[in-house]
Amino acid sequence: MMRKQAHKVAFLGLCTAVAMVFAWVESLLPPLIAAVPGIKLGLPNIAIIFILYRFGVKEAAAVSLTRIIAVSLLFGNPMTMAYSLAGGFLSLTVMAVLRKWNILSIVGVSVAGGVLHNVGQILMAMLLLDTAELGYYMIVLAVTGTVSGVFIGLCGGFAVKRIHTKKM
């Protein structure tokens, strides 16, 4: 039993490291749409959706929180941490509910997560900057969240099918 638990913790640590590397690689890429700042693919979420489907909500939340804090400390600042925590919390909450209800495919769950991640970030920005006008930015972010959610869902679905974790 201890060995099984140790394997699980080690594997989740590896997934955290992979998510952090994906975040670093993403920070090196040019903006997807130069005229609209802050739009990213969300590559670290490949690991999060994989863990959500292979292990569960608690494990996905632990890896997501660890990754957000570590990446913010290494490559960001308190504001990026606040935005990422808000987006990550809302996104993972909705994905966990949709996963439990089992009414959408992994791609559909990922799309909902991508869009709601953007909603969480916009709501945090509106709160911190005390301006409702940022809500208009949501139109563009809904489209990009959908597109990136499809990509992340396809990659995450591929990982779920190909990476076996039955012994953990």
Side-chain angles (χ1 to χ4, degrees):
M1 187 65 170
M2 288 263 294
R3 185 179 181 112
K4 186 177 178 181
Q5 187 66 17
H7 281 254
K8 180 180 175 182
V9 169
F11 189 82
L12 292 174
L14 180 62
C15 288
T16 304
V18 166
M20 289 176 66
V21 168
F22 283 166
W24 175 71
V25 167
E26 193 169 65
S27 75
L28 300 175
L29 298 174
L32 292 178
I33 303 172
V36 185
I39 295 177
K40 297 180 180 180
L41 276 174
L43 295 176
N45 294 315
I46 295 170
I48 303 307
I49 199 133
F50 170 79
I51 295 165
L52 178 63
Y53 275 79
R54 274 286 178 235
F55 292 97
V57 178
K58 288 188 302 185
E59 292 85 351
V63 169
S64 182
L65 181 62
T66 303
R67 192 262 318 162
I68 288 169
I69 291 170
V71 168
S72 295
L73 291 173
L74 291 170
F75 310 118
N77 58 53
M79 294 299 278
T80 59
M81 185 182 298
Y83 294 134
S84 294
L85 286 170
F89 174 78
L90 188 56
S91 173
L92 186 57
T93 300
V94 169
M95 289 193 307
V97 169
L98 292 173
R99 167 77 171 113
K100 184 176 181 175
W101 289 347
N102 203 25
I103 56 173
L104 295 175
S105 69
I106 194 169
V107 173
V109 170
S110 177
V111 167
V115 172
L116 270 291
H117 185 89
N118 291 338
V119 169
Q121 289 187 321
I122 288 294
L123 290 174
M124 179 60 75
M126 290 168 66
L127 177 71
L128 293 176
L129 302 173
D130 194 28
T131 179
E133 284 78 25
L134 288 173
Y136 294 113
Y137 196 40
M138 207 44 240
I139 296 165
V140 174
L141 292 178
V143 173
T144 59
T146 300
V147 172
S148 65
V150 168
F151 175 75
I152 298 304
L154 290 171
C155 293
F158 180 80
V160 166
K161 287 179 185 171
R162 300 286 185 205
I163 301 172
H164 301 286
T165 57
K166 293 193 188 323
K167 294 182 181 180
M168 289 179 234

